[in-house]
PDB file of all heavy atoms in Angstrom:
ATOM      1  N   ALA A   1     120.831 124.671  99.215  1.00  0.00           N
ATOM      2  CA  ALA A   1     120.978 124.376 100.631  1.00  0.00           C
ATOM      3  C   ALA A   1     119.898 123.385 101.075  1.00  0.00           C
ATOM      4  O   ALA A   1     118.997 123.038 100.292  1.00  0.00           O
ATOM      5  CB  ALA A   1     120.866 125.675 101.427  1.00  0.00           C
ATOM      6  N   PRO A   2     119.959 122.902 102.329  1.00  0.00           N
ATOM      7  CA  PRO A   2     118.915 121.984 102.810  1.00  0.00           C
ATOM      8  C   PRO A   2     117.511 122.539 102.607  1.00  0.00           C
ATOM      9  O   PRO A   2     117.252 123.714 102.827  1.00  0.00           O
ATOM     10  CB  PRO A   2     119.255 121.838 104.293  1.00  0.00           C
ATOM     11  CG  PRO A   2     120.742 122.003 104.347  1.00  0.00           C
ATOM     12  CD  PRO A   2     121.036 123.063 103.319  1.00  0.00           C
ATOM     13  N   TYR A   3     116.615 121.662 102.145  1.00  0.00           N
ATOM     14  CA  TYR A   3     115.211 121.949 101.899  1.00  0.00           C
ATOM     15  C   TYR A   3     114.975 122.885 100.724  1.00  0.00           C
ATOM     16  O   TYR A   3     113.885 123.426 100.587  1.00  0.00           O
ATOM     17  CB  TYR A   3     114.513 122.457 103.174  1.00  0.00           C
ATOM     18  CG  TYR A   3     114.524 121.395 104.235  1.00  0.00           C
ATOM     19  CD1 TYR A   3     115.528 121.372 105.195  1.00  0.00           C
ATOM     20  CD2 TYR A   3     113.597 120.365 104.238  1.00  0.00           C
ATOM     21  CE1 TYR A   3     115.592 120.374 106.134  1.00  0.00           C
ATOM     22  CE2 TYR A   3     113.647 119.361 105.177  1.00  0.00           C
ATOM     23  CZ  TYR A   3     114.653 119.361 106.123  1.00  0.00           C
ATOM     24  OH  TYR A   3     114.720 118.354 107.053  1.00  0.00           O
ATOM     25  N   GLU A   4     115.973 123.047  99.874  1.00  0.00           N
ATOM     26  CA  GLU A   4     115.767 123.727  98.602  1.00  0.00           C
ATOM     27  C   GLU A   4     115.620 122.659  97.524  1.00  0.00           C
ATOM     28  O   GLU A   4     116.612 122.091  97.045  1.00  0.00           O
ATOM     29  CB  GLU A   4     116.920 124.675  98.283  1.00  0.00           C
ATOM     30  CG  GLU A   4     116.922 125.925  99.143  1.00  0.00           C
ATOM     31  CD  GLU A   4     117.938 126.954  98.668  1.00  0.00           C
ATOM     32  OE1 GLU A   4     118.989 126.554  98.103  1.00  0.00           O
ATOM     33  OE2 GLU A   4     117.693 128.151  98.879  1.00  0.00           O
ATOM     34  N   LEU A   5     114.393 122.360  97.157  1.00  0.00           N
ATOM     35  CA  LEU A   5     114.123 121.353  96.146  1.00  0.00           C
ATOM     36  C   LEU A   5     114.621 121.832  94.783  1.00  0.00           C
ATOM     37  O   LEU A   5     114.502 123.012  94.444  1.00  0.00           O
ATOM     38  CB  LEU A   5     112.616 121.085  96.069  1.00  0.00           C
ATOM     39  CG  LEU A   5     111.992 120.361  97.267  1.00  0.00           C
ATOM     40  CD1 LEU A   5     110.516 120.707  97.380  1.00  0.00           C
ATOM     41  CD2 LEU A   5     112.172 118.858  97.116  1.00  0.00           C
ATOM     42  N   HIS A   6     115.182 120.937  94.016  1.00  0.00           N
ATOM     43  CA  HIS A   6     115.619 121.253  92.664  1.00  0.00           C
ATOM     44  C   HIS A   6     115.627 119.956  91.864  1.00  0.00           C
ATOM     45  O   HIS A   6     115.403 118.878  92.426  1.00  0.00           O
ATOM     46  CB  HIS A   6     117.019 121.898  92.661  1.00  0.00           C
ATOM     47  CG  HIS A   6     118.063 121.093  93.353  1.00  0.00           C
ATOM     48  ND1 HIS A   6     118.106 120.933  94.728  1.00  0.00           N
ATOM     49  CD2 HIS A   6     119.111 120.369  92.882  1.00  0.00           C
ATOM     50  CE1 HIS A   6     119.127 120.171  95.062  1.00  0.00           C
ATOM     51  NE2 HIS A   6     119.744 119.811  93.958  1.00  0.00           N
ATOM     52  N   PHE A   7     115.853 120.053  90.563  1.00  0.00           N
ATOM     53  CA  PHE A   7     115.763 118.822  89.784  1.00  0.00           C
ATOM     54  C   PHE A   7     116.737 118.825  88.614  1.00  0.00           C
ATOM     55  O   PHE A   7     117.300 119.851  88.237  1.00  0.00           O
ATOM     56  CB  PHE A   7     114.327 118.601  89.289  1.00  0.00           C
ATOM     57  CG  PHE A   7     113.906 119.473  88.148  1.00  0.00           C
ATOM     58  CD1 PHE A   7     113.920 118.989  86.855  1.00  0.00           C
ATOM     59  CD2 PHE A   7     113.485 120.774  88.368  1.00  0.00           C
ATOM     60  CE1 PHE A   7     113.540 119.787  85.790  1.00  0.00           C
ATOM     61  CE2 PHE A   7     113.088 121.574  87.313  1.00  0.00           C
ATOM     62  CZ  PHE A   7     113.118 121.076  86.014  1.00  0.00           C
ATOM     63  N   PHE A   8     116.926 117.600  88.080  1.00  0.00           N
ATOM     64  CA  PHE A   8     117.799 117.367  86.941  1.00  0.00           C
ATOM     65  C   PHE A   8     117.010 116.682  85.843  1.00  0.00           C
ATOM     66  O   PHE A   8     116.051 115.962  86.106  1.00  0.00           O
ATOM     67  CB  PHE A   8     118.988 116.478  87.334  1.00  0.00           C
ATOM     68  CG  PHE A   8     119.738 116.958  88.533  1.00  0.00           C
ATOM     69  CD1 PHE A   8     119.454 116.440  89.787  1.00  0.00           C
ATOM     70  CD2 PHE A   8     120.709 117.926  88.417  1.00  0.00           C
ATOM     71  CE1 PHE A   8     120.128 116.879  90.906  1.00  0.00           C
ATOM     72  CE2 PHE A   8     121.398 118.384  89.531  1.00  0.00           C
ATOM     73  CZ  PHE A   8     121.107 117.859  90.781  1.00  0.00           C
ATOM     74  N   ASP A   9     117.454 116.884  84.625  1.00  0.00           N
ATOM     75  CA  ASP A   9     116.840 116.270  83.450  1.00  0.00           C
ATOM     76  C   ASP A   9     117.792 115.188  82.950  1.00  0.00           C
ATOM     77  O   ASP A   9     118.954 115.467  82.641  1.00  0.00           O
ATOM     78  CB  ASP A   9     116.631 117.345  82.381  1.00  0.00           C
ATOM     79  CG  ASP A   9     115.928 116.818  81.135  1.00  0.00           C
ATOM     80  OD1 ASP A   9     115.890 115.591  80.941  1.00  0.00           O
ATOM     81  OD2 ASP A   9     115.423 117.649  80.367  1.00  0.00           O
ATOM     82  N   SER A  10     117.314 113.959  82.857  1.00  0.00           N
ATOM     83  CA  SER A  10     118.179 112.859  82.429  1.00  0.00           C
ATOM     84  C   SER A  10     118.681 113.041  81.001  1.00  0.00           C
ATOM     85  O   SER A  10     119.642 112.394  80.587  1.00  0.00           O
ATOM     86  CB  SER A  10     117.436 111.522  82.548  1.00  0.00           C
ATOM     87  OG  SER A  10     116.367 111.458  81.611  1.00  0.00           O
ATOM     88  N   SER A  11     118.018 113.927  80.238  1.00  0.00           N
ATOM     89  CA  SER A  11     118.398 114.145  78.838  1.00  0.00           C
ATOM     90  C   SER A  11     119.423 115.252  78.665  1.00  0.00           C
ATOM     91  O   SER A  11     119.833 115.532  77.534  1.00  0.00           O
ATOM     92  CB  SER A  11     117.151 114.491  78.012  1.00  0.00           C
ATOM     93  OG  SER A  11     116.176 113.481  78.137  1.00  0.00           O
ATOM     94  N   GLN A  12     119.839 115.897  79.755  1.00  0.00           N
ATOM     95  CA  GLN A  12     120.782 117.002  79.658  1.00  0.00           C
ATOM     96  C   GLN A  12     122.025 116.721  80.508  1.00  0.00           C
ATOM     97  O   GLN A  12     121.912 116.211  81.619  1.00  0.00           O
ATOM     98  CB  GLN A  12     120.135 118.310  80.123  1.00  0.00           C
ATOM     99  CG  GLN A  12     118.982 118.762  79.254  1.00  0.00           C
ATOM    100  CD  GLN A  12     118.634 120.220  79.508  1.00  0.00           C
ATOM    101  OE1 GLN A  12     119.495 121.036  79.801  1.00  0.00           O
ATOM    102  NE2 GLN A  12     117.347 120.538  79.390  1.00  0.00           N
ATOM    103  N   PRO A  13     123.196 117.065  80.009  1.00  0.00           N
ATOM    104  CA  PRO A  13     124.419 116.867  80.802  1.00  0.00           C
ATOM    105  C   PRO A  13     124.397 117.759  82.045  1.00  0.00           C
ATOM    106  O   PRO A  13     123.838 118.859  82.029  1.00  0.00           O
ATOM    107  CB  PRO A  13     125.541 117.307  79.845  1.00  0.00           C
ATOM    108  CG  PRO A  13     124.926 117.279  78.484  1.00  0.00           C
ATOM    109  CD  PRO A  13     123.485 117.601  78.673  1.00  0.00           C
ATOM    110  N   PHE A  14     124.990 117.274  83.115  1.00  0.00           N
ATOM    111  CA  PHE A  14     125.138 118.095  84.319  1.00  0.00           C
ATOM    112  C   PHE A  14     126.292 117.558  85.161  1.00  0.00           C
ATOM    113  O   PHE A  14     126.743 116.418  84.996  1.00  0.00           O
ATOM    114  CB  PHE A  14     123.842 118.132  85.148  1.00  0.00           C
ATOM    115  CG  PHE A  14     123.384 116.792  85.679  1.00  0.00           C
ATOM    116  CD1 PHE A  14     123.940 116.225  86.829  1.00  0.00           C
ATOM    117  CD2 PHE A  14     122.359 116.097  85.039  1.00  0.00           C
ATOM    118  CE1 PHE A  14     123.497 115.006  87.323  1.00  0.00           C
ATOM    119  CE2 PHE A  14     121.911 114.872  85.517  1.00  0.00           C
ATOM    120  CZ  PHE A  14     122.486 114.326  86.668  1.00  0.00           C
ATOM    121  N   HIS A  15     126.763 118.406  86.055  1.00  0.00           N
ATOM    122  CA  HIS A  15     127.759 118.036  87.057  1.00  0.00           C
ATOM    123  C   HIS A  15     127.191 118.441  88.408  1.00  0.00           C
ATOM    124  O   HIS A  15     126.858 119.601  88.632  1.00  0.00           O
ATOM    125  CB  HIS A  15     129.096 118.746  86.807  1.00  0.00           C
ATOM    126  CG  HIS A  15     130.072 118.617  87.948  1.00  0.00           C
ATOM    127  ND1 HIS A  15     130.977 119.609  88.275  1.00  0.00           N
ATOM    128  CD2 HIS A  15     130.272 117.611  88.845  1.00  0.00           C
ATOM    129  CE1 HIS A  15     131.696 119.224  89.316  1.00  0.00           C
ATOM    130  NE2 HIS A  15     131.277 118.007  89.674  1.00  0.00           N
ATOM    131  N   LEU A  16     127.061 117.475  89.294  1.00  0.00           N
ATOM    132  CA  LEU A  16     126.552 117.710  90.643  1.00  0.00           C
ATOM    133  C   LEU A  16     127.629 117.349  91.649  1.00  0.00           C
ATOM    134  O   LEU A  16     128.233 116.272  91.561  1.00  0.00           O
ATOM    135  CB  LEU A  16     125.300 116.853  90.893  1.00  0.00           C
ATOM    136  CG  LEU A  16     124.838 116.685  92.346  1.00  0.00           C
ATOM    137  CD1 LEU A  16     124.370 118.011  92.934  1.00  0.00           C
ATOM    138  CD2 LEU A  16     123.734 115.630  92.442  1.00  0.00           C
ATOM    139  N   TYR A  17     127.853 118.243  92.584  1.00  0.00           N
ATOM    140  CA  TYR A  17     128.794 117.955  93.670  1.00  0.00           C
ATOM    141  C   TYR A  17     128.040 118.080  94.989  1.00  0.00           C
ATOM    142  O   TYR A  17     127.604 119.160  95.377  1.00  0.00           O
ATOM    143  CB  TYR A  17     129.981 118.913  93.639  1.00  0.00           C
ATOM    144  CG  TYR A  17     130.965 118.735  94.782  1.00  0.00           C
ATOM    145  CD1 TYR A  17     131.347 117.462  95.209  1.00  0.00           C
ATOM    146  CD2 TYR A  17     131.517 119.838  95.426  1.00  0.00           C
ATOM    147  CE1 TYR A  17     132.254 117.294  96.245  1.00  0.00           C
ATOM    148  CE2 TYR A  17     132.430 119.679  96.466  1.00  0.00           C
ATOM    149  CZ  TYR A  17     132.800 118.408  96.875  1.00  0.00           C
ATOM    150  OH  TYR A  17     133.688 118.239  97.911  1.00  0.00           O
ATOM    151  N   SER A  18     127.849 116.953  95.671  1.00  0.00           N
ATOM    152  CA  SER A  18     127.179 116.924  96.971  1.00  0.00           C
ATOM    153  C   SER A  18     128.223 116.928  98.065  1.00  0.00           C
ATOM    154  O   SER A  18     129.110 116.065  98.090  1.00  0.00           O
ATOM    155  CB  SER A  18     126.302 115.674  97.104  1.00  0.00           C
ATOM    156  OG  SER A  18     125.303 115.645  96.113  1.00  0.00           O
ATOM    157  N   THR A  19     128.100 117.880  98.986  1.00  0.00           N
ATOM    158  CA  THR A  19     129.100 117.990 100.038  1.00  0.00           C
ATOM    159  C   THR A  19     128.464 118.439 101.339  1.00  0.00           C
ATOM    160  O   THR A  19     127.353 118.991 101.348  1.00  0.00           O
ATOM    161  CB  THR A  19     130.205 118.989  99.635  1.00  0.00           C
ATOM    162  OG1 THR A  19     131.227 119.005 100.630  1.00  0.00           O
ATOM    163  CG2 THR A  19     129.647 120.396  99.496  1.00  0.00           C
ATOM    164  N   ASN A  20     129.160 118.175 102.417  1.00  0.00           N
ATOM    165  CA  ASN A  20     128.728 118.620 103.742  1.00  0.00           C
ATOM    166  C   ASN A  20     129.986 118.873 104.562  1.00  0.00           C
ATOM    167  O   ASN A  20     130.735 117.940 104.862  1.00  0.00           O
ATOM    168  CB  ASN A  20     127.843 117.565 104.415  1.00  0.00           C
ATOM    169  CG  ASN A  20     127.318 118.023 105.769  1.00  0.00           C
ATOM    170  OD1 ASN A  20     127.640 119.127 106.224  1.00  0.00           O
ATOM    171  ND2 ASN A  20     126.515 117.198 106.416  1.00  0.00           N
ATOM    172  N   ASP A  21     130.222 120.121 104.924  1.00  0.00           N
ATOM    173  CA  ASP A  21     131.433 120.467 105.674  1.00  0.00           C
ATOM    174  C   ASP A  21     131.492 119.760 107.020  1.00  0.00           C
ATOM    175  O   ASP A  21     132.569 119.576 107.589  1.00  0.00           O
ATOM    176  CB  ASP A  21     131.500 121.985 105.893  1.00  0.00           C
ATOM    177  CG  ASP A  21     131.721 122.738 104.588  1.00  0.00           C
ATOM    178  OD1 ASP A  21     132.211 122.113 103.627  1.00  0.00           O
ATOM    179  OD2 ASP A  21     131.387 123.937 104.540  1.00  0.00           O
ATOM    180  N   ASN A  22     130.320 119.351 107.536  1.00  0.00           N
ATOM    181  CA  ASN A  22     130.277 118.712 108.853  1.00  0.00           C
ATOM    182  C   ASN A  22     130.271 117.186 108.785  1.00  0.00           C
ATOM    183  O   ASN A  22     130.127 116.530 109.817  1.00  0.00           O
ATOM    184  CB  ASN A  22     129.024 119.191 109.612  1.00  0.00           C
ATOM    185  CG  ASN A  22     129.051 120.678 109.865  1.00  0.00           C
ATOM    186  OD1 ASN A  22     130.079 121.226 110.222  1.00  0.00           O
ATOM    187  ND2 ASN A  22     127.921 121.340 109.674  1.00  0.00           N
ATOM    188  N   GLY A  23     130.435 116.618 107.608  1.00  0.00           N
ATOM    189  CA  GLY A  23     130.472 115.152 107.528  1.00  0.00           C
ATOM    190  C   GLY A  23     129.762 114.616 106.317  1.00  0.00           C
ATOM    191  O   GLY A  23     129.998 115.061 105.187  1.00  0.00           O
ATOM    192  N   LEU A  24     128.852 113.675 106.527  1.00  0.00           N
ATOM    193  CA  LEU A  24     128.158 113.011 105.442  1.00  0.00           C
ATOM    194  C   LEU A  24     127.015 113.874 104.897  1.00  0.00           C
ATOM    195  O   LEU A  24     126.335 114.571 105.640  1.00  0.00           O
ATOM    196  CB  LEU A  24     127.582 111.680 105.926  1.00  0.00           C
ATOM    197  CG  LEU A  24     128.596 110.647 106.433  1.00  0.00           C
ATOM    198  CD1 LEU A  24     127.881 109.463 107.028  1.00  0.00           C
ATOM    199  CD2 LEU A  24     129.509 110.210 105.313  1.00  0.00           C
ATOM    200  N   PHE A  25     126.833 113.793 103.603  1.00  0.00           N
ATOM    201  CA  PHE A  25     125.688 114.426 102.953  1.00  0.00           C
ATOM    202  C   PHE A  25     124.490 113.499 103.089  1.00  0.00           C
ATOM    203  O   PHE A  25     124.619 112.275 102.998  1.00  0.00           O
ATOM    204  CB  PHE A  25     125.987 114.666 101.473  1.00  0.00           C
ATOM    205  CG  PHE A  25     124.832 115.226 100.697  1.00  0.00           C
ATOM    206  CD1 PHE A  25     124.670 116.595 100.570  1.00  0.00           C
ATOM    207  CD2 PHE A  25     123.907 114.378 100.097  1.00  0.00           C
ATOM    208  CE1 PHE A  25     123.601 117.122  99.860  1.00  0.00           C
ATOM    209  CE2 PHE A  25     122.832 114.889  99.384  1.00  0.00           C
ATOM    210  CZ  PHE A  25     122.681 116.265  99.267  1.00  0.00           C
ATOM    211  N   SER A  26     123.297 114.053 103.293  1.00  0.00           N
ATOM    212  CA  SER A  26     122.090 113.221 103.287  1.00  0.00           C
ATOM    213  C   SER A  26     120.992 113.944 102.533  1.00  0.00           C
ATOM    214  O   SER A  26     120.934 115.181 102.481  1.00  0.00           O
ATOM    215  CB  SER A  26     121.615 112.888 104.709  1.00  0.00           C
ATOM    216  OG  SER A  26     121.047 114.025 105.330  1.00  0.00           O
ATOM    217  N   GLY A  27     120.121 113.167 101.924  1.00  0.00           N
ATOM    218  CA  GLY A  27     119.015 113.737 101.179  1.00  0.00           C
ATOM    219  C   GLY A  27     118.066 112.658 100.707  1.00  0.00           C
ATOM    220  O   GLY A  27     118.238 111.472 101.006  1.00  0.00           O
ATOM    221  N   VAL A  28     117.048 113.083  99.982  1.00  0.00           N
ATOM    222  CA  VAL A  28     116.085 112.155  99.396  1.00  0.00           C
ATOM    223  C   VAL A  28     115.953 112.505  97.924  1.00  0.00           C
ATOM    224  O   VAL A  28     115.822 113.686  97.561  1.00  0.00           O
ATOM    225  CB  VAL A  28     114.702 112.254 100.076  1.00  0.00           C
ATOM    226  CG1 VAL A  28     113.736 111.243  99.455  1.00  0.00           C
ATOM    227  CG2 VAL A  28     114.820 112.013 101.573  1.00  0.00           C
ATOM    228  N   GLY A  29     116.013 111.501  97.058  1.00  0.00           N
ATOM    229  CA  GLY A  29     115.846 111.697  95.628  1.00  0.00           C
ATOM    230  C   GLY A  29     114.556 111.058  95.150  1.00  0.00           C
ATOM    231  O   GLY A  29     114.092 110.069  95.723  1.00  0.00           O
ATOM    232  N   ILE A  30     113.959 111.638  94.132  1.00  0.00           N
ATOM    233  CA  ILE A  30     112.726 111.109  93.544  1.00  0.00           C
ATOM    234  C   ILE A  30     112.901 111.058  92.035  1.00  0.00           C
ATOM    235  O   ILE A  30     113.224 112.077  91.412  1.00  0.00           O
ATOM    236  CB  ILE A  30     111.493 111.983  93.879  1.00  0.00           C
ATOM    237  CG1 ILE A  30     111.369 112.203  95.388  1.00  0.00           C
ATOM    238  CG2 ILE A  30     110.218 111.345  93.334  1.00  0.00           C
ATOM    239  CD1 ILE A  30     111.973 113.496  95.864  1.00  0.00           C
ATOM    240  N   ASN A  31     112.710 109.905  91.435  1.00  0.00           N
ATOM    241  CA  ASN A  31     112.753 109.745  89.986  1.00  0.00           C
ATOM    242  C   ASN A  31     111.324 109.688  89.448  1.00  0.00           C
ATOM    243  O   ASN A  31     110.540 108.809  89.855  1.00  0.00           O
ATOM    244  CB  ASN A  31     113.487 108.466  89.588  1.00  0.00           C
ATOM    245  CG  ASN A  31     114.947 108.505  89.982  1.00  0.00           C
ATOM    246  OD1 ASN A  31     115.536 109.569  90.130  1.00  0.00           O
ATOM    247  ND2 ASN A  31     115.544 107.331  90.148  1.00  0.00           N
ATOM    248  N   ILE A  32     110.978 110.621  88.546  1.00  0.00           N
ATOM    249  CA  ILE A  32     109.625 110.685  87.985  1.00  0.00           C
ATOM    250  C   ILE A  32     109.715 110.795  86.464  1.00  0.00           C
ATOM    251  O   ILE A  32     110.432 111.662  85.952  1.00  0.00           O
ATOM    252  CB  ILE A  32     108.851 111.899  88.544  1.00  0.00           C
ATOM    253  CG1 ILE A  32     108.751 111.825  90.070  1.00  0.00           C
ATOM    254  CG2 ILE A  32     107.456 111.975  87.944  1.00  0.00           C
ATOM    255  CD1 ILE A  32     107.973 112.972  90.688  1.00  0.00           C
ATOM    256  N   PRO A  33     108.983 109.959  85.723  1.00  0.00           N
ATOM    257  CA  PRO A  33     108.978 110.083  84.263  1.00  0.00           C
ATOM    258  C   PRO A  33     108.527 111.483  83.833  1.00  0.00           C
ATOM    259  O   PRO A  33     107.597 112.055  84.407  1.00  0.00           O
ATOM    260  CB  PRO A  33     107.974 109.007  83.824  1.00  0.00           C
ATOM    261  CG  PRO A  33     107.984 108.001  84.934  1.00  0.00           C
ATOM    262  CD  PRO A  33     108.186 108.803  86.190  1.00  0.00           C
ATOM    263  N   LYS A  34     109.164 112.019  82.817  1.00  0.00           N
ATOM    264  CA  LYS A  34     108.797 113.353  82.336  1.00  0.00           C
ATOM    265  C   LYS A  34     107.330 113.433  81.917  1.00  0.00           C
ATOM    266  O   LYS A  34     106.697 114.481  82.058  1.00  0.00           O
ATOM    267  CB  LYS A  34     109.678 113.736  81.140  1.00  0.00           C
ATOM    268  CG  LYS A  34     111.131 113.975  81.451  1.00  0.00           C
ATOM    269  CD  LYS A  34     111.853 114.376  80.165  1.00  0.00           C
ATOM    270  CE  LYS A  34     113.343 114.529  80.373  1.00  0.00           C
ATOM    271  NZ  LYS A  34     114.030 114.908  79.129  1.00  0.00           N
ATOM    272  N   ALA A  35     106.814 112.332  81.420  1.00  0.00           N
ATOM    273  CA  ALA A  35     105.434 112.345  80.921  1.00  0.00           C
ATOM    274  C   ALA A  35     104.425 112.667  82.015  1.00  0.00           C
ATOM    275  O   ALA A  35     103.294 113.059  81.722  1.00  0.00           O
ATOM    276  CB  ALA A  35     105.097 110.986  80.293  1.00  0.00           C
ATOM    277  N   LEU A  36     104.818 112.498  83.282  1.00  0.00           N
ATOM    278  CA  LEU A  36     103.902 112.744  84.399  1.00  0.00           C
ATOM    279  C   LEU A  36     103.958 114.179  84.900  1.00  0.00           C
ATOM    280  O   LEU A  36     103.194 114.540  85.803  1.00  0.00           O
ATOM    281  CB  LEU A  36     104.223 111.788  85.554  1.00  0.00           C
ATOM    282  CG  LEU A  36     104.110 110.292  85.257  1.00  0.00           C
ATOM    283  CD1 LEU A  36     104.423 109.482  86.512  1.00  0.00           C
ATOM    284  CD2 LEU A  36     102.727 109.944  84.727  1.00  0.00           C
ATOM    285  N   LEU A  37     104.845 115.002  84.354  1.00  0.00           N
ATOM    286  CA  LEU A  37     105.054 116.361  84.850  1.00  0.00           C
ATOM    287  C   LEU A  37     104.736 117.386  83.766  1.00  0.00           C
ATOM    288  O   LEU A  37     104.675 117.056  82.582  1.00  0.00           O
ATOM    289  CB  LEU A  37     106.495 116.513  85.335  1.00  0.00           C
ATOM    290  CG  LEU A  37     106.879 115.620  86.529  1.00  0.00           C
ATOM    291  CD1 LEU A  37     108.360 115.741  86.833  1.00  0.00           C
ATOM    292  CD2 LEU A  37     106.062 115.972  87.752  1.00  0.00           C
ATOM    293  N   PRO A  38     104.529 118.655  84.158  1.00  0.00           N
ATOM    294  CA  PRO A  38     104.196 119.691  83.166  1.00  0.00           C
ATOM    295  C   PRO A  38     105.252 119.808  82.077  1.00  0.00           C
ATOM    296  O   PRO A  38     106.457 119.676  82.338  1.00  0.00           O
ATOM    297  CB  PRO A  38     104.135 120.976  84.011  1.00  0.00           C
ATOM    298  CG  PRO A  38     103.838 120.510  85.391  1.00  0.00           C
ATOM    299  CD  PRO A  38     104.525 119.181  85.531  1.00  0.00           C
ATOM    300  N   LYS A  39     104.811 120.072  80.850  1.00  0.00           N
ATOM    301  CA  LYS A  39     105.748 120.162  79.734  1.00  0.00           C
ATOM    302  C   LYS A  39     106.725 121.325  79.887  1.00  0.00           C
ATOM    303  O   LYS A  39     107.844 121.282  79.364  1.00  0.00           O
ATOM    304  CB  LYS A  39     104.964 120.314  78.417  1.00  0.00           C
ATOM    305  CG  LYS A  39     104.154 119.086  78.047  1.00  0.00           C
ATOM    306  CD  LYS A  39     103.415 119.280  76.738  1.00  0.00           C
ATOM    307  CE  LYS A  39     102.620 118.033  76.364  1.00  0.00           C
ATOM    308  NZ  LYS A  39     101.868 118.206  75.104  1.00  0.00           N
ATOM    309  N   GLN A  40     106.317 122.375  80.609  1.00  0.00           N
ATOM    310  CA  GLN A  40     107.177 123.547  80.772  1.00  0.00           C
ATOM    311  C   GLN A  40     108.165 123.389  81.919  1.00  0.00           C
ATOM    312  O   GLN A  40     108.875 124.334  82.267  1.00  0.00           O
ATOM    313  CB  GLN A  40     106.327 124.803  81.035  1.00  0.00           C
ATOM    314  CG  GLN A  40     105.227 125.037  80.025  1.00  0.00           C
ATOM    315  CD  GLN A  40     103.899 124.439  80.494  1.00  0.00           C
ATOM    316  OE1 GLN A  40     103.877 123.447  81.209  1.00  0.00           O
ATOM    317  NE2 GLN A  40     102.805 125.054  80.074  1.00  0.00           N
ATOM    318  N   ALA A  41     108.223 122.199  82.531  1.00  0.00           N
ATOM    319  CA  ALA A  41     109.048 122.014  83.730  1.00  0.00           C
ATOM    320  C   ALA A  41     110.517 122.329  83.483  1.00  0.00           C
ATOM    321  O   ALA A  41     111.228 122.782  84.392  1.00  0.00           O
ATOM    322  CB  ALA A  41     108.900 120.585  84.258  1.00  0.00           C
ATOM    323  N   ASP A  42     111.002 122.096  82.261  1.00  0.00           N
ATOM    324  CA  ASP A  42     112.424 122.322  82.009  1.00  0.00           C
ATOM    325  C   ASP A  42     112.819 123.787  82.170  1.00  0.00           C
ATOM    326  O   ASP A  42     114.002 124.105  82.292  1.00  0.00           O
ATOM    327  CB  ASP A  42     112.821 121.807  80.622  1.00  0.00           C
ATOM    328  CG  ASP A  42     112.003 122.448  79.495  1.00  0.00           C
ATOM    329  OD1 ASP A  42     111.119 123.280  79.791  1.00  0.00           O
ATOM    330  OD2 ASP A  42     112.266 122.111  78.332  1.00  0.00           O
ATOM    331  N   GLN A  43     111.827 124.687  82.225  1.00  0.00           N
ATOM    332  CA  GLN A  43     112.132 126.097  82.473  1.00  0.00           C
ATOM    333  C   GLN A  43     112.641 126.333  83.900  1.00  0.00           C
ATOM    334  O   GLN A  43     113.210 127.380  84.197  1.00  0.00           O
ATOM    335  CB  GLN A  43     110.881 126.956  82.245  1.00  0.00           C
ATOM    336  CG  GLN A  43     110.338 126.917  80.829  1.00  0.00           C
ATOM    337  CD  GLN A  43     109.036 127.684  80.697  1.00  0.00           C
ATOM    338  OE1 GLN A  43     108.748 128.584  81.486  1.00  0.00           O
ATOM    339  NE2 GLN A  43     108.235 127.327  79.692  1.00  0.00           N
TER     340      GLN A  43
END
């Protein structure tokens, strides 16, 4: 839901469906190299 941060791994398959019953979906995305984040992040 809104303001629930979550993330995806570019090395793993996924299916994302963005929707908004009231109209347009909006959000902010951040791309960060894995090398800059904790190694256990994939957990």
Side-chain angles (χ1 to χ4, degrees):
Y3 297 95
E4 287 189 330
L5 290 154
H6 55 289
F7 75 99
F8 308 96
D9 183 343
S10 67
S11 304
Q12 296 196 33
F14 62 81
H15 169 213
L16 165 66
Y17 177 42
S18 299
T19 184
N20 183 358
D21 292 339
N22 297 318
L24 299 173
F25 176 91
S26 73
V28 181
I30 307 96
N31 295 335
I32 301 181
K34 292 181 184 180
L36 300 182
L37 297 174
K39 293 181 179 179
Q40 308 94 330
D42 57 359
Q43 298 175 24

